[in-house]
Amino acid sequence: EEYGPSIVEFDNVGNWVHELTVPARFRIAHPSASRDAEAAGNQTGRQPNRGLEGLTLTPSGRKLIAVMQGPLIQDSRPSSNGKRSGINTRVLEVDVQTGTTREFLYPLDDSRNGVSEILAINENEFLLIERDGESGSEAKFKKIIHASVAHASDISQLDSLPANQLPDGVKPMSKRVFIDLLNAEYGLAGTDLPEKFEGLAFGPTLPDGRRLLLLSVDNDFEVDQP
């Protein structure tokens, strides 16, 4: 749930089981129905509408991995357009059995981008959607990224991060482009390109052994959007 942000377990008939630990640095002290009032009233925690955006369970079932859409307030700085700017996005790992957490740094390619999904390949490797907020011909960045925490630093002891550079001694998650959705060979780019690629899931294994990857789009209830 991105607005706390919080992670809550329910059973298969909808009963609340328990809430998992999300470190205090992710949470805001003064929620508000007004985006502007919320932005003005908080010095730490998630930015308005840029909270926990993706969640995945590793194949072992031992770890939940949650990703922020963008940097926390204290990991960013004000920009000229009135919004906050930064590239250092936190990825939260929660041990399902013990509730202990670790945090990793995922560096955005551009401060205008955000992360809208994460999908576990194994215990250390993930696919993420990193994208800009533009649609149609204005879109410049819509990519599925292969990322790994295998050699990344745990940044749990860092209450704040520099906005546009790596902290000294910190190794970020490694990343490389897996699929560029604007590549002409996919036939997606152009005036009908949707803004919000927001879901990833593995489908069934195909008869020849290949894995099927499903990508979904959020149309914000605009039923006429392609």
Side-chain angles (χ1 to χ4, degrees), residues 53-92:
E53 189 73 3
L55 181 69
T56 188
L57 187 68
T58 60
S60 70
R62 297 183 323 204
K63 294 187 289 188
L64 275 170
I65 311 294
V67 62
M68 299 297 290
Q69 184 172 343
L72 300 177
I73 294 171
Q74 66 268 30
D75 298 339
S76 58
R77 65 185 182 190
S79 59
S80 57
N81 61 8
K83 298 180 180 180
R84 300 192 70 85
S85 175
I87 62 168
N88 291 327
T89 300
R90 293 184 189 246
V91 174
L92 176 66

Side-chain angles (χ1 to χ4, degrees), residues 116-164:
S116 56
E117 178 64 303
I118 186 167
L119 175 65
I121 301 171
N122 54 43
E123 300 301 295
N124 292 314
E125 296 176 273
F126 307 91
L127 297 177
L128 298 90
I129 299 176
E130 182 180 340
R131 61 171 179 82
D132 59 22
E134 305 296 335
S135 60
S137 301
E138 299 300 313
K140 298 295 185 290
F141 197 105
K142 309 284 186 188
K143 295 179 180 180
I144 300 175
I145 302 293
H146 177 280
S148 174
V149 299
H151 303 291
S153 304
D154 180 1
I155 58 170
S156 299
Q157 302 306 313
L158 298 179
D159 286 329
S160 64
L161 304 171
N164 293 303

Side-chain angles (χ1 to χ4, degrees), residues 21-23 25 92-95 98-103 154 156:
T21 299
V22 173
R25 71 176 61 85
L92 176 66
E93 175 192 280
V94 183
D95 186 300
T98 67
T100 57
T101 63
R102 295 194 299 168
E103 298 171 37
D154 180 1
S156 299

